[in-house]
């Protein structure tokens, strides 16, 4: 299956200048972590600004099945009363993570440090994604995994370690999900669990663990890497968490405002963690008028407001070491590249092949069907920008929210409308995408 049972198609057409102010929903990575760490803490964690998208709601449900008390206390306000480190209860049903690799892999780490057995499952997209990358280190820490389908795919059953072993683990790919799974399992292990990464990936787990009271340190490793040391068996205590707006969701109105002539929009409260900021760096290199205003911190993560004005973009080359800081943004960057003058070369995109869809192929197909010349060469993608996009194509979204949103953004400035076969999966990360974009002036039909 590559679609929801009843797909909802939609078209985006050339729109007038986008204007206005918008706050995109809470950051998805932080929302998952707030729920999971809240569930592993003692006492109450209050979360404001939680992303109420399907991915995060599935994590909330999973934490409740594992024994935490999870309640919605208001609009995007949630409270979690946790069970303490290693305190998860034996679940009485499988944990269903829907479309979400992050929810699933982080929860695997948290379960791996508890003496319980849990079955993990998800939708057709998640069932096709590799879980071995997380199971390998978790098995070294003493947990056991059984997958009926074989090949390290869901559904699989994980028996957590009774006496977890702290390990030193070098991640084979830059992945915050692998790193976070090991650290979450390491919470239950005596002694120090160490993760080493050759390229630094997003560090929300480390920052939030500190907020919850864990002893964790980060030191540089090599040119672009990091070493993280976590002292096991801390008592985590509930905290108040403010979730800033998700830069990966802000990416869609941001690129839309750059490519729709005459646009000027303001996006507020956007998280500016440098390990998530690769897209903004790149769009500025392409000539995008993006002003950062009122940079502020709220205890955990920094945030700012961004003013974006329509700009004539030019092609650039993006080095592979930037990939971890913009891994979810290449799809919409490819749209910006198609509207630029000149060639954009994006290097080192191998990880795009194992996301919600094979995003390397799906992005190339999205561009090709709308008349843009694009080439995949090994792990690189090369987009020939010609200053405008013919459009007129219907894009296959492959159960992938970001393909759907990228294609719709493209249609707002293409010569002819751009269609998508299914907008259903947008609800996993950005439920209000269509109404929010309409309010800014986007035309969909
Ligand atoms: C995420 C990490 C990234 C990213 C995903 C969210 C996270 O995945 O693509 O959307 O919250 O840790 P990888 O760790 O597999 O690169």
């Amino acid at each position: 299956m590559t679609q929801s049972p009843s797909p909802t198609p939609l078209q985006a057409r050339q729109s007038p200048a986008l204007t206005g102010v918008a706050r995109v929903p809470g950051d998805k990575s932080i929302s998952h972590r707030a729920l999971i760490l809240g569930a592993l803490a003692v006492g109450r964690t209050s979360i404001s600004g939680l992303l109420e998208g399907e991915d995060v709601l599935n994590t909330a449900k999973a934490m409740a099945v594992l024994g935490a008390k999870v309640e919605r206390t208001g609009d995007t306000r949630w409270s979690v009363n946790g069970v303490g480190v290693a305190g998860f209860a034996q679940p009485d049903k499988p944990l269903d993570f829907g479309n979400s690799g992050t929810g699933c892999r982080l929860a695997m780490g948290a379960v791996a440090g508890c003496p319980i057995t849990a079955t993990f499952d998800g939708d057709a997209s998640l069932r096709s994604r590799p879980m071995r990358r997380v199971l390998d280190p978790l098995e070294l820490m003493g947990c056991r995994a059984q997958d009926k389908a074989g090949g390290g795919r869901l559904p699989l059953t994980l028996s957590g370690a009774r006496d977890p072993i702290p390990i030193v683990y070098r991640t084979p790919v830059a992945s915050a999900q692998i790193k976070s799974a090991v650290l979450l399992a390491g919470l239950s292990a005596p002694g120090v669990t160490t993760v080493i990464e050759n390229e630094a990936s997003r560090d929300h787990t480390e920052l939030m663990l500190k907020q919850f009271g864990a002893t964790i340190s980060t030191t540089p490793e090599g040119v672009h890497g990091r070493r993280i040391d976590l002292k096991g068996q801390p008592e985590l205590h509930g905290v108040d968490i403010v979730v800033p707006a998700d830069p990966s969701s802000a990416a869609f109105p941001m690129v839309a405002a750059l490519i729709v002539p005459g646009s000027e929009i303001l996006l507020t409260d956007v998280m500016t963690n440098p390990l998530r900021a690769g897209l903004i760096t790149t769009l500025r290199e392409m000539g995008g008028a993006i002003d950062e205003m009122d940079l502020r911190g709220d205890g955990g993560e920094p945030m700012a407001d961004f003013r974006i004005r329509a700009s004539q973009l030019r092609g650039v080359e993006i080095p592979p070491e930037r990939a971890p800081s913009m891994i979810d943004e290449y799809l919409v960057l490819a749209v910006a590249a198609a509207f630029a003058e000149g060639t954009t070369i994006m290097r080192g995109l191998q990880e795009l092949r194992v996301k919600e869809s094979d995003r390397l192929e799906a992005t190339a197909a999205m561009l090709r069907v709308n008349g843009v010349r694009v080439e995949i060469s090994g792990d690189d993608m090369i987009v020939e920008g010609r200053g405008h996009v013919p459009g007129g194509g219907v894009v296959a979204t492959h159960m992938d929210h970001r393909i759907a949103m990228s294609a719709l953004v493209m249609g707002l400035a293409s010569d002819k409308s751009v269609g998508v076969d299914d907008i259903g999966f947008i609800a996993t990360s950005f439920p209000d995408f269509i109404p929010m974009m309409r309010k800014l002036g986007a035309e969909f039909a």
Side-chain angles (χ1 to χ4, degrees):
M1 187 177 85
T2 56
Q3 275 192 342
S4 37
S6 46
T8 310
L10 193 73
Q11 293 226 338
R13 62 167 175 252
Q14 220 176 52
S15 298
L18 305 182
T19 54
V21 182
R23 188 200 194 272
V24 303
D27 185 72
K28 184 147 71 74
S29 295
I30 297 202
S31 295
H32 284 298
R33 285 158 173 82
L35 291 167
I36 295 171
L37 287 182
L40 290 172
V42 172
R44 179 185 158 110
T45 291
S46 300
I47 309 168
S48 63
L50 189 88
L51 165 62
E52 293 177 333
E54 285 169 7
D55 279 8
V56 173
L57 297 179
N58 281 325
T59 293
K61 279 184 213 149
M63 293 305 111
V65 173
L66 291 166
K69 197 167 164 222
V70 184
E71 283 173 304
R72 186 175 194 262
T73 54
D75 185 22
T76 74
R77 291 186 173 274
W78 289 66
S79 96
V80 185
N81 276 283
V83 295
V85 166
F88 279 160
Q90 175 63 44
D92 57 7
K93 54 180 169 193
L95 308 175
D96 184 351
F97 289 92
N99 195 249
S100 177
T102 306
C104 181
R105 293 187 178 125
L106 268 56
M108 282 180 174
V111 164
C114 300
I116 58 168
T117 295
T119 297
F120 290 74
D121 206 352
D123 68 12
S125 158
L126 192 55
R127 280 183 172 197
S128 73
R129 296 179 67 185
M131 295 297 154
R132 259 288 132 216
R133 49 177 53 202
V134 172
L135 300 176
D136 283 343
L138 296 181
E139 284 179 339
L140 291 174
M141 300 177 85
C143 97
R144 280 180 301 113
Q146 277 178 296
D147 58 307
K148 282 206 195 90
R153 301 289 195 268
L154 298 185
L156 60 81
T157 299
L158 217 144
S159 299
R162 204 156 284 279
D163 297 301
I165 306 158
I167 58 170
V168 177
Y169 193 69
R170 188 179 278 275
T171 54
V173 289
S175 162
Q177 294 179 3
I178 303 176
K179 169 176 66 179
S180 301
V182 174
L183 292 175
L184 290 169
L187 283 173
S188 313
V192 173
T193 291
T194 300
V195 179
I196 302 171
E197 36 183 19
N198 294 336
E199 309 267 356
S201 65
R202 65 191 70 194
D203 59 356
H204 309 306
T205 303
E206 296 91 303
L207 295 174
M208 205 182 282
L209 275 168
K210 215 173 265 176
Q211 258 182 297
F212 274 86
T215 304
I216 182 164
S217 64
T218 301
T219 44
E221 173 85 12
V223 185
H224 302 293
R226 287 189 172 180
R227 174 193 172 103
I228 301 109
D229 294 295
L230 170 72
K231 192 159 173 249
Q233 301 180 335
E235 179 162 307
L236 302 181
H237 49 78
V239 292
D240 289 351
I241 295 195
V242 178
V243 184
D246 192 328
S248 299
S249 296
F252 299 104
M254 187 174 279
V255 168
L258 289 173
I259 61 174
V260 176
S263 298
E264 175 167 343
I265 64 165
L266 184 74
L267 298 174
T268 60
D269 298 344
V270 181
M271 183 172 63
T272 56
N273 182 317
L275 293 170
R276 297 283 298 282
L279 177 72
I280 292 180
T281 306
T282 304
L283 291 173
R284 283 182 170 148
E285 285 174 3
M286 295 173 83
I290 302 172
D291 301 321
E292 181 183 294
M293 295 176 298
D294 193 15
L295 179 65
R296 54 209 184 264
D298 235 306
E301 299 274 358
M303 65 172 105
D305 303 333
F306 287 91
R307 188 169 59 126
I308 302 112
R309 279 168 295 139
S311 309
Q312 179 53 62
L313 303 174
R314 55 183 174 271
V316 294
E317 178 165 344
I318 301 136
E321 61 273 13
R322 199 179 290 166
S325 69
M326 55 182 296
I327 194 66
D328 292 334
E329 281 73 77
Y330 282 99
L331 300 80
V332 77
L333 174 65
V335 171
F339 283 94
E341 293 283 359
T343 306
T344 293
I345 305 172
M346 312 172 199
R347 298 209 184 275
L349 305 189
Q350 61 278 9
E351 276 297 295
L352 290 194
R353 294 194 185 277
V354 290
K355 296 294 179 187
E356 285 84 330
S357 65
D358 178 341
R359 285 185 173 164
L360 207 46
E361 291 299 340
T363 304
M366 167 182 78
L367 295 180
R368 276 188 199 124
V369 76
N370 286 290
V372 180
R373 285 181 62 180
V374 54
E375 192 192 322
I376 295 172
S377 167
D379 296 329
D380 303 340
M381 181 158 61
I382 301 147
V383 178
E384 299 292 342
R386 284 188 290 154
H388 78 108
V389 168
V394 175
V395 174
T397 51
H398 301 287
M399 303 178 80
D400 190 328
H401 53 133
R402 297 198 208 279
I403 298 273
M405 289 186 278
S406 300
L408 291 173
V409 165
M410 182 161 66
L412 301 179
S414 301
D415 303 343
K416 290 194 203 131
S417 297
V418 171
V420 298
D421 64 355
D422 186 14
I423 57 165
F425 285 87
I426 294 176
T428 61
S429 71
F430 198 160
D432 289 338
F433 173 75
I434 302 288
M436 189 179 286
M437 293 301 294
R438 277 201 169 118
K439 244 175 126 180
L440 294 172
E443 295 191 351
F444 303 115

